[in-house]
Amino acid sequence: LRPALGAAAAARRPLALAASARARAFASVTSHTEGEVGTPAYRMRFKDASGKEVSPWHDIPLYTGKDGVVNALFEIPKNTKPKMEVATKEANNPIAQDVKKGKLRDYHGPIFWNYGMFPQTWEDPNLVHSETKCAGDNDPVDVVEIGAEALPQGAVEPVKVLGTLAMIDDGELDWKVIAIRTSDPLAAELSDIGDVEAKCPGVISGIRE
């Protein structure tokens, strides 16, 4: 996935100015919440500068105009348990807590990284990966941000992609892109997955678990 993102970014270099303009526009996007945290009614919604509700999945740009740097939307802050996600089947895709068999879902314990998704991406359920023999899970591509700071829910941050893990969940392919926020103090020392292994021992194995 990382080469695919890189190739796409290279192809879009002539559009760098347009990407920068979109980045300025989305900088004014704000979020607000409805309902109580920890209930099925909770939603985090997003609005643009004019007050129009927008989709964090479809309306926030993926590309930042900088090579190797893309935008990520964060749904789950590190050190929290509720399994929050963009509601892909709802209008404007607010962030909500995932529900399975009528119950709100939580992780077994607090997660150690910031968890989110890449806007304007999609794991195609009709495309079977040649090596895993599994198709996509019909969701946006997930990102695991390994920086030091806990990022608030709804934050949109530019990140540097470092590598990917191909996870199989109930027979579906679920890519986990490992990244770090560009403003994190460690970002300058990490360029690829080998650097993560060397400078952040235990991170990759922890994400796999």
Side-chain angles (χ1 to χ4, degrees):
L1 184 60
R2 187 184 182 212
L5 283 173
R12 294 194 178 200
R13 282 188 191 118
L15 302 179
L17 290 177
S20 297
R22 288 195 300 272
R24 288 193 297 272
F26 101 83
S28 58
V29 168
T30 58
S31 63
H32 67 282
T33 60
E34 301 173 355
E36 290 187 34
V37 174
T39 70
Y42 175 83
R43 296 291 185 276
M44 175 176 280
R45 301 187 183 277
F46 297 80
K47 291 183 178 180
D48 65 14
S50 70
K52 176 185 175 182
E53 187 170 356
V54 295
S55 163
W57 185 13
H58 300 297
D59 295 321
I60 291 173
L62 173 63
Y63 295 98
T64 63
K66 295 182 180 180
D67 286 349
V69 178
V70 290
N71 288 317
L73 169 78
F74 290 97
E75 302 150 309
I76 309 172
K78 67 187 296 184
N79 299 320
T80 63
K81 290 174 57 178
K83 190 178 187 302
M84 312 300 295
E85 61 182 19
V86 164
T88 59
K89 295 179 174 62
E90 294 186 22
N92 293 312
N93 314 118
I95 294 176
Q97 190 167 354
D98 189 27
V99 176
K100 187 173 184 178
K101 296 181 179 179
K103 294 184 178 181
L104 294 170
R105 296 183 68 189
D106 289 283
Y107 290 100
H108 295 301
I111 59 173
F112 301 124
W113 305 279
N114 297 295
Y115 197 96
M117 50 80 78
F118 288 116
Q120 302 195 37
T121 64
W122 177 55
E123 298 198 40
D124 190 343
N126 299 307
L127 182 64
V128 176
H129 189 266
S130 59
E131 293 185 30
T132 65
K133 309 302 181 186
C134 294
D137 66 359
N138 204 31
D139 284 331
V141 176
D142 295 328
V143 56
V144 183
E145 196 277 332
I146 62 172
E149 184 177 336
L151 303 178
Q153 185 181 103
V156 179
E157 294 282 351
V159 300
K160 179 194 293 187
V161 174
L162 302 171
T164 60
L165 290 175
M167 313 287 280
I168 309 300
D169 185 8
D170 290 333
E172 297 177 327
L173 181 58
D174 186 11
W175 289 103
K176 304 297 182 189
V177 178
I178 301 170
I180 190 164
R181 191 169 56 128
T182 55
S183 58
D184 190 273
L186 194 58
E189 300 181 38
L190 303 179
S191 297
D192 56 31
I193 203 67
D195 293 334
V196 176
E197 289 275 22
K199 298 181 181 296
C200 309
V203 164
I204 296 173
S205 59
I207 293 170
R208 282 197 184 102
E209 295 174 4

PDB file of all heavy atoms in Angstrom, residues 61-90:
ATOM      1  N   PRO A  61      -9.498  16.196   2.122  1.00  0.00           N
ATOM      2  CA  PRO A  61      -8.552  15.684   1.120  1.00  0.00           C
ATOM      3  C   PRO A  61      -7.554  14.701   1.718  1.00  0.00           C
ATOM      4  O   PRO A  61      -7.139  14.841   2.869  1.00  0.00           O
ATOM      5  CB  PRO A  61      -7.846  16.944   0.616  1.00  0.00           C
ATOM      6  CG  PRO A  61      -7.949  17.915   1.747  1.00  0.00           C
ATOM      7  CD  PRO A  61      -9.273  17.633   2.413  1.00  0.00           C
ATOM      8  N   LEU A  62      -7.165  13.705   0.929  1.00  0.00           N
ATOM      9  CA  LEU A  62      -6.121  12.779   1.346  1.00  0.00           C
ATOM     10  C   LEU A  62      -4.742  13.405   1.189  1.00  0.00           C
ATOM     11  O   LEU A  62      -3.911  13.330   2.091  1.00  0.00           O
ATOM     12  CB  LEU A  62      -6.205  11.499   0.507  1.00  0.00           C
ATOM     13  CG  LEU A  62      -5.075  10.486   0.696  1.00  0.00           C
ATOM     14  CD1 LEU A  62      -5.040   9.952   2.129  1.00  0.00           C
ATOM     15  CD2 LEU A  62      -5.212   9.333  -0.297  1.00  0.00           C
ATOM     16  N   TYR A  63      -4.516  14.038   0.049  1.00  0.00           N
ATOM     17  CA  TYR A  63      -3.174  14.542  -0.266  1.00  0.00           C
ATOM     18  C   TYR A  63      -2.965  15.944   0.296  1.00  0.00           C
ATOM     19  O   TYR A  63      -3.876  16.768   0.328  1.00  0.00           O
ATOM     20  CB  TYR A  63      -2.945  14.502  -1.770  1.00  0.00           C
ATOM     21  CG  TYR A  63      -2.931  13.088  -2.293  1.00  0.00           C
ATOM     22  CD1 TYR A  63      -4.074  12.536  -2.879  1.00  0.00           C
ATOM     23  CD2 TYR A  63      -1.809  12.286  -2.148  1.00  0.00           C
ATOM     24  CE1 TYR A  63      -4.076  11.221  -3.325  1.00  0.00           C
ATOM     25  CE2 TYR A  63      -1.802  10.971  -2.591  1.00  0.00           C
ATOM     26  CZ  TYR A  63      -2.928  10.444  -3.173  1.00  0.00           C
ATOM     27  OH  TYR A  63      -2.937   9.144  -3.595  1.00  0.00           O
ATOM     28  N   THR A  64      -1.749  16.200   0.744  1.00  0.00           N
ATOM     29  CA  THR A  64      -1.416  17.475   1.383  1.00  0.00           C
ATOM     30  C   THR A  64      -0.661  18.417   0.462  1.00  0.00           C
ATOM     31  O   THR A  64      -0.482  19.585   0.795  1.00  0.00           O
ATOM     32  CB  THR A  64      -0.526  17.224   2.615  1.00  0.00           C
ATOM     33  OG1 THR A  64       0.714  16.642   2.176  1.00  0.00           O
ATOM     34  CG2 THR A  64      -1.212  16.299   3.613  1.00  0.00           C
ATOM     35  N   GLY A  65      -0.194  17.917  -0.675  1.00  0.00           N
ATOM     36  CA  GLY A  65       0.663  18.715  -1.539  1.00  0.00           C
ATOM     37  C   GLY A  65       2.138  18.505  -1.251  1.00  0.00           C
ATOM     38  O   GLY A  65       2.993  19.056  -1.941  1.00  0.00           O
ATOM     39  N   LYS A  66       2.462  17.693  -0.222  1.00  0.00           N
ATOM     40  CA  LYS A  66       3.848  17.377   0.114  1.00  0.00           C
ATOM     41  C   LYS A  66       4.115  15.903  -0.169  1.00  0.00           C
ATOM     42  O   LYS A  66       3.327  15.044   0.218  1.00  0.00           O
ATOM     43  CB  LYS A  66       4.129  17.680   1.592  1.00  0.00           C
ATOM     44  CG  LYS A  66       4.039  19.154   1.958  1.00  0.00           C
ATOM     45  CD  LYS A  66       4.374  19.358   3.426  1.00  0.00           C
ATOM     46  CE  LYS A  66       4.291  20.827   3.815  1.00  0.00           C
ATOM     47  NZ  LYS A  66       4.623  21.031   5.258  1.00  0.00           N
ATOM     48  N   ASP A  67       5.228  15.614  -0.812  1.00  0.00           N
ATOM     49  CA  ASP A  67       5.567  14.229  -1.134  1.00  0.00           C
ATOM     50  C   ASP A  67       5.692  13.395   0.138  1.00  0.00           C
ATOM     51  O   ASP A  67       6.351  13.790   1.102  1.00  0.00           O
ATOM     52  CB  ASP A  67       6.896  14.164  -1.892  1.00  0.00           C
ATOM     53  CG  ASP A  67       6.767  14.633  -3.327  1.00  0.00           C
ATOM     54  OD1 ASP A  67       5.622  14.813  -3.783  1.00  0.00           O
ATOM     55  OD2 ASP A  67       7.806  14.834  -3.987  1.00  0.00           O
ATOM     56  N   GLY A  68       5.054  12.224   0.129  1.00  0.00           N
ATOM     57  CA  GLY A  68       5.173  11.296   1.245  1.00  0.00           C
ATOM     58  C   GLY A  68       4.346  11.639   2.458  1.00  0.00           C
ATOM     59  O   GLY A  68       4.434  10.948   3.480  1.00  0.00           O
ATOM     60  N   VAL A  69       3.529  12.688   2.376  1.00  0.00           N
ATOM     61  CA  VAL A  69       2.721  13.122   3.518  1.00  0.00           C
ATOM     62  C   VAL A  69       1.255  13.154   3.104  1.00  0.00           C
ATOM     63  O   VAL A  69       0.896  13.764   2.093  1.00  0.00           O
ATOM     64  CB  VAL A  69       3.158  14.509   4.028  1.00  0.00           C
ATOM     65  CG1 VAL A  69       2.262  14.954   5.194  1.00  0.00           C
ATOM     66  CG2 VAL A  69       4.616  14.493   4.458  1.00  0.00           C
ATOM     67  N   VAL A  70       0.406  12.479   3.881  1.00  0.00           N
ATOM     68  CA  VAL A  70      -1.027  12.447   3.610  1.00  0.00           C
ATOM     69  C   VAL A  70      -1.790  12.792   4.884  1.00  0.00           C
ATOM     70  O   VAL A  70      -1.247  12.743   5.992  1.00  0.00           O
ATOM     71  CB  VAL A  70      -1.470  11.066   3.087  1.00  0.00           C
ATOM     72  CG1 VAL A  70      -0.938  10.819   1.683  1.00  0.00           C
ATOM     73  CG2 VAL A  70      -1.026   9.951   4.026  1.00  0.00           C
ATOM     74  N   ASN A  71      -3.048  13.155   4.708  1.00  0.00           N
ATOM     75  CA  ASN A  71      -3.896  13.474   5.855  1.00  0.00           C
ATOM     76  C   ASN A  71      -4.533  12.222   6.430  1.00  0.00           C
ATOM     77  O   ASN A  71      -4.919  11.313   5.698  1.00  0.00           O
ATOM     78  CB  ASN A  71      -5.015  14.442   5.448  1.00  0.00           C
ATOM     79  CG  ASN A  71      -4.506  15.839   5.195  1.00  0.00           C
ATOM     80  OD1 ASN A  71      -3.693  16.358   5.945  1.00  0.00           O
ATOM     81  ND2 ASN A  71      -4.991  16.463   4.117  1.00  0.00           N
ATOM     82  N   ALA A  72      -4.642  12.177   7.746  1.00  0.00           N
ATOM     83  CA  ALA A  72      -5.344  11.093   8.435  1.00  0.00           C
ATOM     84  C   ALA A  72      -6.355  11.696   9.401  1.00  0.00           C
ATOM     85  O   ALA A  72      -6.089  12.730  10.037  1.00  0.00           O
ATOM     86  CB  ALA A  72      -4.364  10.208   9.197  1.00  0.00           C
ATOM     87  N   LEU A  73      -7.514  11.073   9.492  1.00  0.00           N
ATOM     88  CA  LEU A  73      -8.547  11.465  10.456  1.00  0.00           C
ATOM     89  C   LEU A  73      -8.509  10.465  11.599  1.00  0.00           C
ATOM     90  O   LEU A  73      -8.560   9.248  11.369  1.00  0.00           O
ATOM     91  CB  LEU A  73      -9.928  11.446   9.803  1.00  0.00           C
ATOM     92  CG  LEU A  73     -11.101  11.589  10.784  1.00  0.00           C
ATOM     93  CD1 LEU A  73     -11.264  13.030  11.209  1.00  0.00           C
ATOM     94  CD2 LEU A  73     -12.387  11.042  10.197  1.00  0.00           C
ATOM     95  N   PHE A  74      -8.464  10.959  12.830  1.00  0.00           N
ATOM     96  CA  PHE A  74      -8.322  10.061  13.978  1.00  0.00           C
ATOM     97  C   PHE A  74      -9.648   9.888  14.702  1.00  0.00           C
ATOM     98  O   PHE A  74     -10.302  10.842  15.095  1.00  0.00           O
ATOM     99  CB  PHE A  74      -7.209  10.565  14.897  1.00  0.00           C
ATOM    100  CG  PHE A  74      -5.874  10.377  14.246  1.00  0.00           C
ATOM    101  CD1 PHE A  74      -5.266  11.421  13.578  1.00  0.00           C
ATOM    102  CD2 PHE A  74      -5.280   9.128  14.218  1.00  0.00           C
ATOM    103  CE1 PHE A  74      -4.067  11.236  12.910  1.00  0.00           C
ATOM    104  CE2 PHE A  74      -4.088   8.925  13.555  1.00  0.00           C
ATOM    105  CZ  PHE A  74      -3.471   9.981  12.896  1.00  0.00           C
ATOM    106  N   GLU A  75     -10.006   8.601  14.859  1.00  0.00           N
ATOM    107  CA  GLU A  75     -11.276   8.221  15.473  1.00  0.00           C
ATOM    108  C   GLU A  75     -11.098   7.788  16.927  1.00  0.00           C
ATOM    109  O   GLU A  75     -11.995   7.996  17.751  1.00  0.00           O
ATOM    110  CB  GLU A  75     -11.883   7.048  14.690  1.00  0.00           C
ATOM    111  CG  GLU A  75     -12.103   7.349  13.219  1.00  0.00           C
ATOM    112  CD  GLU A  75     -11.989   6.100  12.349  1.00  0.00           C
ATOM    113  OE1 GLU A  75     -10.985   5.363  12.471  1.00  0.00           O
ATOM    114  OE2 GLU A  75     -12.911   5.876  11.548  1.00  0.00           O
ATOM    115  N   ILE A  76      -9.943   7.153  17.233  1.00  0.00           N
ATOM    116  CA  ILE A  76      -9.717   6.581  18.565  1.00  0.00           C
ATOM    117  C   ILE A  76      -8.402   7.116  19.131  1.00  0.00           C
ATOM    118  O   ILE A  76      -7.325   6.771  18.635  1.00  0.00           O
ATOM    119  CB  ILE A  76      -9.660   5.038  18.507  1.00  0.00           C
ATOM    120  CG1 ILE A  76     -10.881   4.475  17.767  1.00  0.00           C
ATOM    121  CG2 ILE A  76      -9.565   4.453  19.912  1.00  0.00           C
ATOM    122  CD1 ILE A  76     -10.796   2.979  17.514  1.00  0.00           C
ATOM    123  N   PRO A  77      -8.449   7.952  20.160  1.00  0.00           N
ATOM    124  CA  PRO A  77      -7.202   8.418  20.785  1.00  0.00           C
ATOM    125  C   PRO A  77      -6.487   7.273  21.501  1.00  0.00           C
ATOM    126  O   PRO A  77      -7.131   6.340  22.009  1.00  0.00           O
ATOM    127  CB  PRO A  77      -7.682   9.471  21.799  1.00  0.00           C
ATOM    128  CG  PRO A  77      -9.064   9.844  21.361  1.00  0.00           C
ATOM    129  CD  PRO A  77      -9.627   8.604  20.736  1.00  0.00           C
ATOM    130  N   LYS A  78      -5.170   7.339  21.549  1.00  0.00           N
ATOM    131  CA  LYS A  78      -4.417   6.316  22.274  1.00  0.00           C
ATOM    132  C   LYS A  78      -4.815   6.320  23.740  1.00  0.00           C
ATOM    133  O   LYS A  78      -5.265   7.329  24.286  1.00  0.00           O
ATOM    134  CB  LYS A  78      -2.906   6.535  22.110  1.00  0.00           C
ATOM    135  CG  LYS A  78      -2.375   7.778  22.773  1.00  0.00           C
ATOM    136  CD  LYS A  78      -0.902   8.037  22.423  1.00  0.00           C
ATOM    137  CE  LYS A  78       0.018   6.939  22.933  1.00  0.00           C
ATOM    138  NZ  LYS A  78       1.444   7.247  22.660  1.00  0.00           N
ATOM    139  N   ASN A  79      -4.681   5.168  24.383  1.00  0.00           N
ATOM    140  CA  ASN A  79      -5.009   4.970  25.802  1.00  0.00           C
ATOM    141  C   ASN A  79      -6.505   5.044  26.092  1.00  0.00           C
ATOM    142  O   ASN A  79      -6.916   5.363  27.204  1.00  0.00           O
ATOM    143  CB  ASN A  79      -4.249   5.960  26.691  1.00  0.00           C
ATOM    144  CG  ASN A  79      -2.749   5.795  26.567  1.00  0.00           C
ATOM    145  OD1 ASN A  79      -2.247   4.673  26.499  1.00  0.00           O
ATOM    146  ND2 ASN A  79      -2.024   6.893  26.505  1.00  0.00           N
ATOM    147  N   THR A  80      -7.329   4.757  25.062  1.00  0.00           N
ATOM    148  CA  THR A  80      -8.782   4.666  25.277  1.00  0.00           C
ATOM    149  C   THR A  80      -9.268   3.302  24.784  1.00  0.00           C
ATOM    150  O   THR A  80      -8.575   2.609  24.042  1.00  0.00           O
ATOM    151  CB  THR A  80      -9.541   5.790  24.546  1.00  0.00           C
ATOM    152  OG1 THR A  80      -9.348   5.665  23.133  1.00  0.00           O
ATOM    153  CG2 THR A  80      -9.055   7.156  25.011  1.00  0.00           C
ATOM    154  N   LYS A  81     -10.493   2.932  25.168  1.00  0.00           N
ATOM    155  CA  LYS A  81     -11.025   1.600  24.854  1.00  0.00           C
ATOM    156  C   LYS A  81     -12.184   1.582  23.865  1.00  0.00           C
ATOM    157  O   LYS A  81     -12.317   0.613  23.116  1.00  0.00           O
ATOM    158  CB  LYS A  81     -11.477   0.902  26.151  1.00  0.00           C
ATOM    159  CG  LYS A  81     -10.362   0.478  27.070  1.00  0.00           C
ATOM    160  CD  LYS A  81     -10.894  -0.077  28.391  1.00  0.00           C
ATOM    161  CE  LYS A  81     -11.842  -1.233  28.188  1.00  0.00           C
ATOM    162  NZ  LYS A  81     -12.312  -1.803  29.480  1.00  0.00           N
ATOM    163  N   PRO A  82     -13.086   2.586  23.841  1.00  0.00           N
ATOM    164  CA  PRO A  82     -14.242   2.491  22.942  1.00  0.00           C
ATOM    165  C   PRO A  82     -13.812   2.389  21.478  1.00  0.00           C
ATOM    166  O   PRO A  82     -12.929   3.126  21.022  1.00  0.00           O
ATOM    167  CB  PRO A  82     -15.002   3.792  23.211  1.00  0.00           C
ATOM    168  CG  PRO A  82     -14.601   4.178  24.596  1.00  0.00           C
ATOM    169  CD  PRO A  82     -13.169   3.776  24.720  1.00  0.00           C
ATOM    170  N   LYS A  83     -14.429   1.467  20.742  1.00  0.00           N
ATOM    171  CA  LYS A  83     -14.102   1.262  19.328  1.00  0.00           C
ATOM    172  C   LYS A  83     -14.935   2.237  18.494  1.00  0.00           C
ATOM    173  O   LYS A  83     -16.065   1.936  18.106  1.00  0.00           O
ATOM    174  CB  LYS A  83     -14.372  -0.185  18.921  1.00  0.00           C
ATOM    175  CG  LYS A  83     -13.821  -0.527  17.551  1.00  0.00           C
ATOM    176  CD  LYS A  83     -14.060  -1.988  17.208  1.00  0.00           C
ATOM    177  CE  LYS A  83     -13.347  -2.364  15.912  1.00  0.00           C
ATOM    178  NZ  LYS A  83     -13.773  -1.538  14.767  1.00  0.00           N
ATOM    179  N   MET A  84     -14.361   3.384  18.232  1.00  0.00           N
ATOM    180  CA  MET A  84     -15.025   4.428  17.472  1.00  0.00           C
ATOM    181  C   MET A  84     -14.621   4.332  16.013  1.00  0.00           C
ATOM    182  O   MET A  84     -13.493   3.955  15.691  1.00  0.00           O
ATOM    183  CB  MET A  84     -14.656   5.812  18.021  1.00  0.00           C
ATOM    184  CG  MET A  84     -14.758   5.951  19.532  1.00  0.00           C
ATOM    185  SD  MET A  84     -16.419   5.649  20.185  1.00  0.00           S
ATOM    186  CE  MET A  84     -17.329   7.014  19.447  1.00  0.00           C
ATOM    187  N   GLU A  85     -15.548   4.694  15.117  1.00  0.00           N
ATOM    188  CA  GLU A  85     -15.227   4.648  13.700  1.00  0.00           C
ATOM    189  C   GLU A  85     -16.174   5.543  12.904  1.00  0.00           C
ATOM    190  O   GLU A  85     -17.275   5.868  13.362  1.00  0.00           O
ATOM    191  CB  GLU A  85     -15.303   3.216  13.175  1.00  0.00           C
ATOM    192  CG  GLU A  85     -16.672   2.585  13.305  1.00  0.00           C
ATOM    193  CD  GLU A  85     -16.698   1.133  12.807  1.00  0.00           C
ATOM    194  OE1 GLU A  85     -15.619   0.529  12.710  1.00  0.00           O
ATOM    195  OE2 GLU A  85     -17.789   0.635  12.525  1.00  0.00           O
ATOM    196  N   VAL A  86     -15.716   5.944  11.734  1.00  0.00           N
ATOM    197  CA  VAL A  86     -16.572   6.678  10.817  1.00  0.00           C
ATOM    198  C   VAL A  86     -17.722   5.764  10.401  1.00  0.00           C
ATOM    199  O   VAL A  86     -17.499   4.612  10.009  1.00  0.00           O
ATOM    200  CB  VAL A  86     -15.757   7.140   9.587  1.00  0.00           C
ATOM    201  CG1 VAL A  86     -16.676   7.559   8.462  1.00  0.00           C
ATOM    202  CG2 VAL A  86     -14.827   8.288   9.962  1.00  0.00           C
ATOM    203  N   ALA A  87     -18.933   6.264  10.534  1.00  0.00           N
ATOM    204  CA  ALA A  87     -20.124   5.475  10.206  1.00  0.00           C
ATOM    205  C   ALA A  87     -20.336   5.519   8.692  1.00  0.00           C
ATOM    206  O   ALA A  87     -20.954   6.448   8.162  1.00  0.00           O
ATOM    207  CB  ALA A  87     -21.341   6.015  10.950  1.00  0.00           C
ATOM    208  N   THR A  88     -19.827   4.512   7.993  1.00  0.00           N
ATOM    209  CA  THR A  88     -19.806   4.551   6.527  1.00  0.00           C
ATOM    210  C   THR A  88     -21.191   4.455   5.904  1.00  0.00           C
ATOM    211  O   THR A  88     -21.377   4.866   4.750  1.00  0.00           O
ATOM    212  CB  THR A  88     -18.932   3.409   5.979  1.00  0.00           C
ATOM    213  OG1 THR A  88     -19.439   2.153   6.431  1.00  0.00           O
ATOM    214  CG2 THR A  88     -17.488   3.565   6.450  1.00  0.00           C
ATOM    215  N   LYS A  89     -22.158   3.942   6.633  1.00  0.00           N
ATOM    216  CA  LYS A  89     -23.505   3.767   6.069  1.00  0.00           C
ATOM    217  C   LYS A  89     -24.450   4.899   6.445  1.00  0.00           C
ATOM    218  O   LYS A  89     -25.622   4.879   6.054  1.00  0.00           O
ATOM    219  CB  LYS A  89     -24.081   2.413   6.509  1.00  0.00           C
ATOM    220  CG  LYS A  89     -23.323   1.219   5.961  1.00  0.00           C
ATOM    221  CD  LYS A  89     -23.919  -0.099   6.446  1.00  0.00           C
ATOM    222  CE  LYS A  89     -23.251  -1.294   5.779  1.00  0.00           C
ATOM    223  NZ  LYS A  89     -21.819  -1.382   6.096  1.00  0.00           N
ATOM    224  N   GLU A  90     -23.965   5.898   7.190  1.00  0.00           N
ATOM    225  CA  GLU A  90     -24.806   7.036   7.570  1.00  0.00           C
ATOM    226  C   GLU A  90     -24.479   8.260   6.725  1.00  0.00           C
ATOM    227  O   GLU A  90     -23.349   8.427   6.254  1.00  0.00           O
ATOM    228  CB  GLU A  90     -24.605   7.369   9.054  1.00  0.00           C
ATOM    229  CG  GLU A  90     -25.088   6.283   9.990  1.00  0.00           C
ATOM    230  CD  GLU A  90     -25.003   6.699  11.451  1.00  0.00           C
ATOM    231  OE1 GLU A  90     -24.967   7.915  11.728  1.00  0.00           O
ATOM    232  OE2 GLU A  90     -24.957   5.812  12.312  1.00  0.00           O
TER     233      GLU A  90
END
